Amino acid sequence: MQIHESGENYLEAILMLKMEKGAVRSIDVAHQLEVSKPSVSRAMGLLRENGYITVDGEGWIELTPAGQEIAERIYERHHLLTQWLTRLGVPPEIAAEDACRIEHDISAVTFAKMKEHIQKAGKE
């Protein structure tokens, strides 16, 4: 099933919040992404319907294995691209914003080659 950029952003935010706080609720996601509570509610409903998250009776959000896989892939892309752009001299805030745009559109093949090149360059 294809997931859109906004869904990837929500999954990545859930993963980041989970790593930071240990537990995640919708309000945390709203603050992280700077979006309204109704927007998060709609997104959580869609992610739940498509099997990417579960939400318990108290509102705690968990990634399913499918959601975890997507979130980790997007997070890795974001992290690596941000580091690379920063090393090129791009200010960190701009690098993070640009990485967020690039991470969704770059092919798996191109990202793998970029990652290989960046890692090799880091060892030199």
Side-chain angles (χ1 to χ4, degrees), residues 16-40:
M16 290 169 44
L17 287 162
K18 182 84 171 168
M19 291 187 310
E20 179 185 324
K21 297 179 173 226
V24 183
R25 293 184 123 176
S26 291
I27 191 68
D28 302 317
V29 177
H31 290 179
Q32 176 82 11
L33 295 176
E34 297 179 344
V35 296
S36 69
K37 288 189 262 183
S39 293
V40 172

Side-chain angles (χ1 to χ4, degrees), residues 22-78:
V24 183
R25 293 184 123 176
S26 291
I27 191 68
D28 302 317
V29 177
H31 290 179
Q32 176 82 11
L33 295 176
E34 297 179 344
V35 296
S36 69
K37 288 189 262 183
S39 293
V40 172
S41 180
R42 173 78 175 130
M44 294 304 107
L46 292 171
L47 292 172
R48 191 174 55 247
E49 286 172 20
N50 288 302
Y52 296 119
I53 64 166
T54 59
V55 182
D56 72 13
E58 295 180 11
W60 299 107
I61 301 167
E62 292 290 336
L63 294 165
T64 64
Q68 184 80 25
E69 181 181 327
I70 293 167
E72 287 175 355
R73 179 181 42 125
I74 295 301
Y75 179 76
E76 178 189 30
R77 288 177 175 207
H78 184 97

